[in-house]
Amino acid sequence: MAGPIHYEVYVRRTAPAAWTLLIATEDRKAALETAEEQFQAKQAVAVRVTKETLDPETMEFNSLTILNLGLPEEKSKKKPEAAARPACGSPKELYAPHARALIGRVLEDWLKRHGVTAFELLHRPDLAERLDASGVELQHAVQKVAVPESQASGQDLHGMVRHYQRLADATISQLMKAGRSGQFPSLDDLSIADVAHRLSGSADRAFIMGGVAAQALADRQGARARLDRLMDLMDGAPTEGPPRALVVSVVEQIATEMLAIRSNLADILGPSLDLGASLAALVRMVAPKEVERLIAVDPRMGLLTPTVDGPAARLGSRIAAGDFPRLSAALARFITRELSSSRRLRPSDPAGEIDILRTLAMALTSASGRLLTLEEVQNAFVDRSRSLVTPDFVASYVQSCATVLAEAEHLTRLCENVTGAANKRAAARWLSGCVKSVRLEAELRQSTPGGPNASQKLLTLARLQRSVRAVQLGEIDEREIAASIGTLGGTLEADAGLISQIARASAAVTQKLGVLLRMAAGETAPLGPAADRARAEALRMLRASEVKEALSVEPEASAALNALMPAAGIRL
């Protein structure tokens, strides 16, 4: 069955104008007359009347045109689509940072074999000639670029391959021509400062300075020696102005590409360092002032953070002086990528992994704002924390624990050092399972010759409970775990009859009250049934007349007990 019906009148005031609604009415005759009046009075070049019927099921209107007068609508002309073109069209475009990054990926093996970067390949004629002579390497690199770009843009694959082959040939030819014509001055005859001053104002100054710096590295083998040579160039750079900026820019680009390779980082920072120590050394290199301040406050950080020396220390001092902002940002992003990855920081030392992660968190947080935003740092550690609550890591982390109680203490420390709500909940589940386990209860209730007595066990549980409350778990998880520890403490106290023994002891009343109040306050026993029974016994004793008399003659002891009462929940 059809729903309500109404009529709408639309007009176009000019030929190119769009339709606009004039009126909406339920009177068909009035709608038609209004449309005709508008058209005859030349107030519109076109009019249209539609009948709108509401569908009760879908609650949508079905539209039907019942009158259409005047000029037809003008069809909009489609703009011709721009013909797709390759991403790089000239040799100059290959020198852009994103193009160099792509070259570094497609020629990664070749560059590693020769110990150079993509920047050096584009600025050293001898390397270009060597790559051209290899034939197959260059052809494979062209295909690695052309195939995915052809699939993404729909361009002809063979045409794309031919284009990039011609582009590579033209770039190699241009570079070799520059080398033969002597465009790259040798630093044997001139200093880097002289070259920078001579190139000031030249249109090709960046290209030529790049060739000079790349040639200066030609006789250096190994990332450490090559970085040392780059720092020598910085030492000889002009002190200010555009000539200095020219040298700094070229050195920064080479160093950025060099340090983006993990094997180079290992050579520069130390091949014996694991991933965690390498990242700590890298943070110390890019944020030396912040790390030194932290070490001055907490000397333990100095034991976990490797010393940075040699070329790495020279680079660190340059970064601290503000010479290489792009390099420091790239290294900071590298650190966060490694933290977000699944690689273990200390594969054979789970406890050490938590220590080094804590050290990295403190260092990066102190340097946040200059290198990374605080949010980026937090996100990286949330990702890393996710790997700390996996079954494999937790199993290896508690494997060395001799007792279940030690396992609970380890898991509490794990809860303290993970971040992110989901990771906190996962860590809390591991701790909760341990605290509520039958193994822990059986271990604590078992009495072993020479082992801890009931008082010592209660003291340990009290410390564990306080640690749980301090690690900032969720409210529900914290309450449940703390309550489980308290229940276990109550069971131990009941088994030993400890409070009854204290009450019957022949010690002075003030001493017995002090012991009970400390138990009730959660200092020497976990909060829960044991603390409640200690509080009740302390109240019973405080109400006894002989106890009041004893306290009245010992004002100092009475003052000490009064200080304990608020924490024990006692108000007289």
Side-chain angles (χ1 to χ4, degrees):
M1 186 176 80
I5 298 173
H6 73 274
Y7 301 89
E8 296 179 353
V9 180
Y10 293 88
V11 298
R12 283 193 295 115
R13 302 297 182 186
T14 61
W19 291 104
T20 58
L21 178 66
L22 183 63
I23 62 169
T25 177
E26 295 180 357
D27 190 335
R28 177 188 176 100
K29 182 178 179 181
L32 293 172
E33 288 177 353
T34 301
E36 290 175 354
E37 288 173 2
Q38 290 282 320
F39 184 68
Q40 291 173 3
K42 297 185 178 179
Q43 293 181 2
V45 297
V47 295
R48 184 172 69 191
V49 180
T50 62
K51 176 183 177 182
E52 306 291 334
T53 305
L54 180 65
D55 188 336
E57 295 182 358
T58 64
M59 298 303 292
E60 295 180 352
F61 284 100
N62 297 319
S63 182
L64 175 66
T65 301
I66 60 176
L67 178 67
N68 199 345
L69 300 175
L71 298 176
E73 293 183 69
E74 293 184 357
K75 294 183 178 180
S76 58
K77 296 181 180 179
K78 291 184 178 180
K79 295 182 179 180
E81 295 183 1
R85 59 179 293 275
C88 288
S90 66
K92 185 177 181 180
E93 293 179 357
L94 291 178
Y95 287 80
H98 66 277
R100 291 205 315 270
L102 179 59
I103 292 171
R105 289 195 297 272
V106 298
L107 286 171
E108 181 178 3
D109 294 338
W110 189 90
L111 293 173
K112 280 185 177 180
R113 286 200 304 272
H114 292 82
V116 296
T117 63
F119 185 96
E120 294 170 83
L121 173 62
L122 290 168
H123 290 86
R124 275 179 54 183
D126 60 315
L127 290 175
E129 185 176 10
R130 200 177 304 170
L131 176 62
D132 189 35
S134 68
V136 176
E137 295 274 4
L138 184 57
Q139 183 180 1
H140 286 174
V142 167
Q143 291 172 350
K144 289 178 184 177
V145 174
V147 171
E149 187 173 338
S150 172
Q151 293 173 345
S153 63
Q155 300 177 71
D156 176 62
L157 175 59
H158 297 291
M160 186 77 71
V161 170
R162 288 194 296 272
H163 167 78
Y164 279 115
Q165 188 64 57
R166 288 194 298 269
L167 181 60
D169 293 341
T171 305
I172 292 172
S173 176
Q174 173 183 291
L175 183 55
M176 293 177 66
K177 181 180 178 181
R180 287 193 298 269
S181 62
Q183 278 189 270
F184 304 129
S186 172
L187 294 181
D188 294 336
D189 305 321
L190 297 170
S191 68
I192 190 71
D194 293 336
V195 174
H197 284 294
R198 290 188 181 189
L199 292 175
S200 183
S202 171
D204 295 332
R205 58 187 179 277
F207 174 69
I208 297 173
M209 180 57 75
V212 171
Q215 193 60 43
L217 300 175
D219 60 341
R220 300 297 177 99
Q221 300 297 320
R224 192 176 180 87
R226 286 154 52 76
L227 181 61
D228 203 33
R229 179 57 173 150
L230 288 177
M231 294 301 101
D232 290 342
L233 296 181
M234 283 298 301
D235 291 342
T239 56
E240 58 184 2
R244 177 176 178 78
L246 180 61
V247 177
V248 171
S249 174
V250 168
V251 171
E252 183 176 33
Q253 292 179 74
I254 298 175
T256 300
E257 293 188 9
M258 184 186 302
L259 294 174
I261 302 171
R262 285 196 180 93
S263 58
N264 288 344
L265 274 176
D267 186 17
I268 292 169
L269 298 175
S272 62
L273 301 180
D274 56 23
L275 178 59
S278 295
L279 293 181
L282 198 56
V283 173
R284 190 168 190 169
M285 186 176 73
V286 299
K289 295 180 180 177
E290 292 86 348
V291 173
E292 293 303 326
R293 283 198 296 267
L294 287 172
I295 292 175
V297 175
D298 184 2
R300 291 176 298 177
M301 277 198 66
L303 301 176
L304 293 169
T305 307
T307 303
V308 177
D309 57 5
R314 297 177 68 186
L315 176 59
S317 64
R318 292 290 177 185
I319 291 175
D323 285 333
F324 301 137
R326 294 183 182 85
L327 173 59
S328 58
L331 291 175
R333 288 193 297 272
F334 173 81
I335 293 169
T336 56
R337 283 198 304 272
E338 290 298 312
L339 286 174
S340 300
S341 70
S342 59
R343 297 178 64 203
R344 289 279 300 273
L345 299 181
R346 296 237 161 121
S348 59
D349 185 7
E353 180 152 349
I354 291 179
D355 290 335
I356 196 66
L357 185 62
R358 191 181 184 90
T359 299
L360 289 170
M362 294 173 62
L364 285 176
T365 301
S366 68
S368 62
R370 185 173 68 83
L371 297 176
L372 297 164
T373 65
L374 184 58
E375 183 180 2
E376 288 174 321
V377 174
Q378 291 173 340
N379 290 339
F381 283 99
V382 168
D383 291 339
R384 172 55 59 173
S385 295
R386 197 174 295 123
S387 68
L388 299 184
V389 292
T390 60
D392 290 343
F393 181 85
V394 174
S396 63
Y397 179 55
V398 300
Q399 185 177 9
S400 61
C401 295
T403 64
V404 185
L405 186 58
E407 183 178 324
E409 292 171 342
H410 273 60
L411 291 173
T412 303
R413 186 166 181 267
L414 177 66
C415 291
E416 180 184 5
N417 287 281
V418 298
T419 185
N423 299 324
K424 284 282 189 183
R425 287 194 297 271
R429 285 195 292 271
W430 287 109
L431 177 57
S432 178
C434 178
V435 168
K436 295 178 180 179
S437 68
V438 178
R439 294 186 305 128
L440 179 59
E441 181 178 351
E443 177 183 288
L444 290 176
R445 297 182 74 175
Q446 182 180 4
S447 177
T448 57
N453 57 32
S455 297
Q456 292 169 333
K457 292 177 181 178
L458 287 174
L459 178 61
T460 303
L461 287 177
R463 290 172 180 166
L464 180 63
Q465 191 181 61
R466 288 197 297 272
S467 299
V468 170
R469 295 185 185 279
V471 298
Q472 298 179 347
L473 296 175
E475 182 180 353
I476 297 175
D477 292 327
E478 178 184 316
R479 185 169 61 247
E480 289 181 353
I481 295 171
S484 298
I485 296 173
T487 301
L488 184 55
T491 302
L492 292 180
E493 189 280 324
D495 288 348
L498 188 60
I499 293 175
S500 299
Q501 293 178 26
I502 295 172
R504 295 193 305 267
S506 59
V509 173
T510 54
Q511 292 179 348
K512 292 191 289 185
L513 278 173
V515 172
L516 291 172
L517 290 176
R518 287 186 177 85
M519 289 181 67
E523 292 183 15
T524 57
L527 297 175
D532 294 340
R533 289 195 287 269
R535 185 181 303 108
E537 181 63 27
L539 279 171
R540 187 191 66 77
M541 293 179 65
L542 286 168
R543 292 191 181 104
S545 57
E546 60 272 16
V547 174
K548 292 179 180 179
E549 292 176 4
L551 292 177
S552 64
V553 299
E554 296 184 42
E556 293 181 1
S558 179
L561 292 176
N562 288 334
L564 288 172
M565 287 183 188
I570 296 177
R571 290 177 177 80
L572 297 178

